[in-house]
């Protein structure tokens, strides 16, 4: 059995980068192969594909191409990764079409919660932003915040946009509290904090 691993090869800013995850994959494969009762008649091996572009950033172009190459060359039984939202989404669509499971520690975005079609075979082992949104709902109930929620977040529309997707979980879940108005303010650099403060003053009450 072959496990296809699609992760960033060198960029350690990602918690799921290969230098961090690789040792665990090697240990897991060795442990499985040391137990003939786990997969009788099979040996587990892994093949690796890099999801980074030439700048070392998660690439929504590189990752699906690597996944297709691994599928055609090795016919894996499952995929591990990618972790970044924009790389995991297209790869997960391919693996769903191939009827193969995909396991990832990332892909935190709210959209991956939809298991009806394209992400039906995607399993996330890490936290999701939906859970962050549910926490926000519980906090609003606990403290009886019932009228307005203001989300302020930084978004440069680069790389994996972690703040955008974190705010998305809150933005989608908070309206489940009826009669609650949710407003978002996006900061895109420049350090214009006076504008943000004025927006909070006008819209946050």
């Amino acid at each position: 059995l072959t496990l296809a691993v699609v992760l960033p090869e060198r960029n350690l800013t990602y918690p799921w980068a290969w230098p961090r995850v690789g040792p665990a994959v090697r240990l897991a494969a060795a442990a499985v192969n040391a137990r003939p009762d786990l997969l009788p008649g099979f040996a587990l091996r892994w093949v690796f594909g890099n999801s980074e572009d030439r700048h070392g950033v998660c690439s929504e172009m590189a990752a699906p191409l690597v996944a297709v190459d691994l599928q055609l060359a090795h016919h894996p039984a499952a995929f591990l990764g990618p972790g970044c939202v924009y790389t995991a989404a297209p790869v997960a669509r391919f693996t769903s079409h191939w009827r193969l499971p995909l396991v990832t520690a990332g892909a935190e975005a709210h959209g991956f919660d939809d298991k009806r079609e394209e992400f039906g075979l995607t399993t996330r082992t890490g936290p999701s932003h939906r859970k962050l949104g549910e926490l926000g709902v519980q906090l609003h109930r606990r403290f009886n915040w019932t009228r307005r929620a203001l989300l302020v977040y930084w978004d440069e529309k680069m790389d994996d946009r972690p703040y955008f997707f974190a705010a998305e979980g809150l933005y989608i879940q908070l309206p489940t509290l009826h009669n609650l108005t949710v407003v978002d303010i996006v900061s895109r650099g420049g350090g214009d904090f006076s504008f943000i403060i004025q927006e909070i003053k006008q819209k946050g009450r």
Side-chain angles (χ1 to χ4, degrees):
L1 289 177
T2 301
L3 175 67
V5 181
V6 182
L7 294 171
E9 187 172 16
R10 296 183 182 88
N11 191 339
L12 292 176
T13 60
Y14 301 114
W16 42 78
W18 178 244
R20 299 181 191 278
V21 177
V25 171
R26 293 185 184 98
L27 287 172
V32 168
N33 290 331
R35 292 271 309 273
D37 57 309
L38 290 179
L39 295 172
F42 293 95
L44 180 63
R45 71 183 191 99
W46 53 268
V47 290
F48 177 80
N50 184 12
S51 64
E52 296 175 358
D53 64 12
R54 60 189 177 90
H55 303 291
V57 177
C58 279
S59 169
E60 64 267 29
M61 183 178 75
L65 293 177
V66 165
V68 169
D69 287 344
L70 294 176
Q71 165 67 4
L72 293 175
H74 302 282
H75 305 289
F79 277 76
L80 177 63
C84 299
V85 170
Y86 287 121
T87 55
V91 174
R93 292 183 184 106
F94 276 129
T95 58
S96 178
H97 174 68
W98 298 327
R99 307 302 299 166
L100 296 175
L102 183 148
V103 179
T104 177
E108 309 98 322
H110 201 279
F112 288 93
D113 290 331
D114 187 353
K115 302 299 182 184
R116 291 170 296 181
E117 292 184 14
E118 56 191 5
F119 303 125
L121 295 174
T122 300
T123 300
R124 296 178 294 180
T125 62
S128 73
H129 293 318
R130 177 189 181 89
K131 291 298 182 184
L132 176 63
E134 291 173 354
L135 171 64
V137 169
Q138 292 303 317
L139 286 173
H140 276 70
R141 285 182 177 148
R142 172 69 178 82
F143 295 104
N144 198 30
W145 298 333
T146 57
R147 291 187 301 166
R148 185 168 297 185
L150 184 65
L151 307 178
V152 182
Y153 61 93
W154 185 276
D155 184 22
E156 290 190 347
K157 293 189 176 181
M158 295 173 60
D159 198 12
D160 214 32
R161 300 178 71 188
Y163 310 117
F164 170 82
F165 287 113
E168 179 193 37
L170 290 162
Y171 193 84
I172 291 175
Q173 290 297 316
L174 285 176
T176 62
L177 294 166
H178 301 297
N179 300 320
L180 179 72
T181 301
V182 180
V183 181
D184 66 310
I185 300 173
V186 183
S187 175
R188 292 195 175 95
D192 190 3
F193 299 111
S194 60
F195 166 76
I196 295 174
I197 291 170
Q198 288 301 316
E199 288 287 287
I200 293 172
K201 181 179 178 181
Q202 293 174 16
K203 298 178 181 177
R205 296 181 177 180

